[in-house]
Amino acid sequence: RSLLALLAVLSGSPFVFPSLGPTAYLLFIAPLAENSSPRNTILGHAIGLICGYAAFSITGAASLPFGIHTGLMTGSFVYWPRILAAALSLSATGAFMVLLRASHPPAGATTLIVSLGIISKPKELVIIEVAVFLLVAQALLINRMAGLPYPIWKYREISKA
């Protein structure tokens, strides 16, 4: 992750984001789990990014900048389009991960980061997916150097002969 942190500092772009921590944890603590495979990691975050951005766009959640609240006198501190975007993005992300058999739990946080407007510019979404690719490449290199049969793409059950 230090490579990604350095890229974030040098570029001023979100190469480090909240759901990257749990992703790194899975890739290095449970590298042989299906959720940790490169396929599930890359597709899971891509699904989360797409569903998060779609929900953010179609619900009108983008009409207020992140962190701005309407106040008690004009409604409440709850901004309903963002609540709807969060619910819609999480349900769509879960459905597509099941449909595509690409379960990666940290991608649920990625979809929230986007649907709530914390990170929502298309350029930033591409950077997030690039960061996921770079982290997976590091996991492949480090886990293989450690002698683990980390998959190049898809999880394969290891036979116990």
Side-chain angles (χ1 to χ4, degrees):
R1 291 187 312 208
S2 57
L3 169 68
L4 296 174
L6 179 63
L7 282 172
V9 169
L10 294 176
S11 69
S13 298
F15 280 97
V16 177
F17 51 96
S19 54
L20 195 65
T23 294
Y25 183 85
L26 281 176
L27 296 181
F28 294 106
I29 299 300
L32 302 180
E34 187 172 5
N35 290 340
S36 302
S37 73
R39 177 189 181 277
N40 285 32
T41 303
I42 291 165
L43 289 179
H45 282 285
I47 291 166
L49 290 166
I50 292 166
C51 292
Y53 189 73
F56 181 71
S57 298
I58 66 173
T59 60
S63 62
L64 276 181
F66 183 75
I68 302 294
H69 301 286
T70 56
L72 291 175
M73 300 307 269
T74 57
S76 88
F77 284 103
V78 175
Y79 185 57
W80 289 106
R82 287 221 173 100
I83 301 296
L84 181 59
L88 180 61
S89 70
L90 279 172
S91 59
T93 296
F96 279 109
M97 279 199 265
V98 168
L99 186 69
L100 298 174
R101 294 184 180 130
S103 177
H104 184 72
T110 298
T111 200
L112 283 176
I113 291 164
V114 177
S115 66
L116 293 173
I118 298 167
I119 297 175
S120 59
K121 295 178 185 156
K123 175 186 169 192
E124 296 171 332
L125 305 184
V126 171
I127 290 168
I128 286 174
E129 192 66 11
V130 168
V132 170
F133 270 98
L134 292 172
L135 184 62
V136 167
Q138 288 177 354
L140 179 62
L141 181 67
I142 292 167
N143 286 321
R144 287 289 177 106
M145 285 174 54
L148 296 173
Y150 187 70
I152 291 175
W153 178 243
K154 192 173 181 183
Y155 166 82
R156 287 189 189 92
E157 192 164 323
I158 299 169
S159 62
K160 297 176 183 173

